[in-house]
Amino acid sequence: MEIDRRDFLTLSGAATLALATEPVWAQTSKVEVRWLGQSATRITTLTGKVIVIDPFLTNNPKTPQQYKNLDALGQVDVILVTHGHGDHTGDVAALAKRTNAKVFGPAGLIATMVDLGWVPPEQAVRFGKGGTVTPLGPQIKITQVRAEHSSEVTVTDPTTKKSTTYPGGEPAGFIVEFENGFKLYHMGDTGLFGDMRLIGEYYKPDVIMIPIGGHFVMDPRDAAYATREMLKPRFAIPFHYGTFPVLRGTPQEYQAALGPTSTQVFPISPGDSLTF
Ligand SMILES: [Zn+2]
């Protein structure tokens, strides 16, 4: 399959893959989802609002070089953070400062970020699992849901190398419902848990971004079970693998474990985008 970087490849009636190597933001009246490595994601809504989830870019070994310059993200309207680990929070402070975007996340995590001076209080919004916020207007709903993980914030003094760990609230995932009702479920970091079935039945996500790396999160077999038996989305984007050696799971193993299914998997690379 040969794809020119400016070509758009139609993968199904509903999704398009763009292997763009430069940040040209589509105004396609579609939802654009660009994966930037690990869990970092830049989403453009139908009306051009930009949501960045878990910005970990400048020190992310999988983030394409061009996105390590935070200006390459362009306008950012909202920043969402799933939990306190460095591979999710690395660039929150810098991006919040640069864009003035409000930062939303689990209440305990946001409290710590304010205390540490990462985010000014007026830019920080605490909310909890089950809560829905609409910072981009009533048509775009962001709901916080459970994740089975931990959340603490470890800060290392650059001079003494001494680390200090602070409480980071409860880990979470986010369901973003767009202007047309399409729903994306960014699962954050999570192990398999039974209420994924509830999330599948109740929220009916159209596309999931699902961790598959193992060790800290689900491995490909767990992720396949969650996808096939509980969440049953139309589309799945595997993430949180390969960034560090312990995150061994691969999209190929995920797809093999999934077997024949109605879910279409997009094993995209960091920097690639999909439109829905
Ligand atoms: Zn992580």
Side-chain angles (χ1 to χ4, degrees), residues 38 83 87-88 189 240:
Q38 196 71 333
H83 65 290
D87 59 320
H88 300 258
D189 277 8
H240 208 278

Side-chain angles (χ1 to χ4, degrees), residues 81 92-93 96 102-127 153 155 166-168:
V81 191
V92 169
K102 286 213 161 88
V103 181
F104 288 74
L109 172 63
I110 297 297
T112 289
M113 286 187 172
V114 169
D115 287 352
L116 290 171
W118 290 9
V119 183
E122 62 275 14
Q123 231 175 299
V125 184
R126 304 163 64 245
F127 74 127
V153 179
V155 179
Y166 302 89

Side-chain angles (χ1 to χ4, degrees), residues 38-39 54 82-83 85-88 149 188-189 216-217 240 244 247:
Q38 196 71 333
S39 301
D54 285 355
T82 60
H83 65 290
H85 297 159
D87 59 320
H88 300 258
H149 196 60
D189 277 8
F216 292 110
V217 295
H240 208 278
F244 308 111
L247 302 176

Side-chain angles (χ1 to χ4, degrees), residues 192-207:
L192 194 59
F193 60 92
D195 279 353
M196 286 179 186
R197 190 179 302 279
L198 174 68
I199 290 171
E201 284 175 7
Y202 188 68
Y203 295 104
K204 298 183 171 56
D206 296 284
V207 56

